[in-house]
Amino acid sequence: MTIKKTELDGVFLITPNIIKDIRGHFFESFKSDSFSQSLIPTKFAQENQSLSKKGTLRGLHYQLNYPQGKLVSVSKGCVVDFAIDIRVGSSTFGKSLSFVLDDIKHESLYISEGFAHGFYVQSDEAVFNYKCTESYYPEDEYGINWNDFDLKLNLEDKKPLVSEKDQLLPKLKDVHKDLLPTFN
């Protein structure tokens, strides 16, 4: 597996070495030694999986008091995954990156604490996997509106399927700085 830093400090793209033969394929999706060498956490508190249909947008979420680093991947389908730096004081504050994650390349992302995260489903359906460094606390869930022009998300679909709760999320510029993580 290869692990590459991205333009956003704290976001890593993980590309597995896929071994294929007539039976199918095999790859390592997690290897503690490789992650530790790249300074990616290896202890996860919770693992989640979602099934979403085409056109669904989930996010952009973060936790403030119990921040989560997330190792994300797709085991079925194709999504565009978004990471947005919302760390007050970071030189890349407000910057976003998007990555295509699918069941062909089997790449994954590690998104550190201090980032808002979300994804958009491009395939008929997608099974999305998240390993989180902290448990989910509903009372600590915050978010940024996906439709915030300043984020410059690369999303061609102007009317994705978005939960009612996520439609009501504020734009980043409207979030009080006390409700955002700080850059260490």
Side-chain angles (χ1 to χ4, degrees), residues 98-116:
S98 63
F99 302 87
V100 174
L101 300 179
D102 62 29
D103 59 5
I104 297 169
K105 288 185 178 179
H106 296 285
E107 290 178 317
S108 56
L109 287 174
Y110 179 75
I111 303 165
S112 296
E113 298 173 359
F115 287 80

Side-chain angles (χ1 to χ4, degrees), residues 34-154:
S34 298
F35 277 50
S36 292
Q37 289 171 6
S38 295
L39 303 178
I40 298 173
T42 58
K43 184 179 177 196
F44 296 96
Q46 184 171 330
E47 185 169 6
N48 308 311
Q49 186 180 89
S50 66
L51 171 67
S52 303
K53 64 183 186 176
K54 185 175 187 159
T56 296
L57 189 138
R58 293 185 184 266
L60 308 162
H61 302 142
Y62 65 97
Q63 289 191 168
L64 185 61
N65 298 307
Y66 301 97
Q68 295 176 314
K70 296 177 182 176
L71 177 62
V72 299
S73 64
V74 171
S75 53
K76 179 182 179 185
C78 179
V79 308
V80 178
D81 195 82
F82 302 104
I84 298 91
D85 188 350
I86 58 168
R87 301 170 297 174
V88 174
S90 168
S91 63
T92 55
F93 177 81
K95 301 275 189 243
S96 65
L97 286 179
S98 63
F99 302 87
V100 174
L101 300 179
D102 62 29
D103 59 5
I104 297 169
K105 288 185 178 179
H106 296 285
E107 290 178 317
S108 56
L109 287 174
Y110 179 75
I111 303 165
S112 296
E113 298 173 359
F115 287 80
H117 172 259
F119 65 91
Y120 171 79
V121 179
Q122 291 186 316
S123 54
D124 288 339
E125 64 180 18
V127 175
F128 192 85
N129 309 294
Y130 331 49
K131 288 185 189 316
C132 302
T133 58
E134 179 60 76
S135 296
Y136 170 70
Y137 293 89
E139 69 278 7
D140 192 36
E141 183 177 61
Y142 296 88
I144 306 297
N145 196 297
W146 69 273
N147 205 12
D148 184 339
F149 177 77
D150 292 335
L151 299 179
K152 297 178 177 66
L153 297 185
N154 185 18

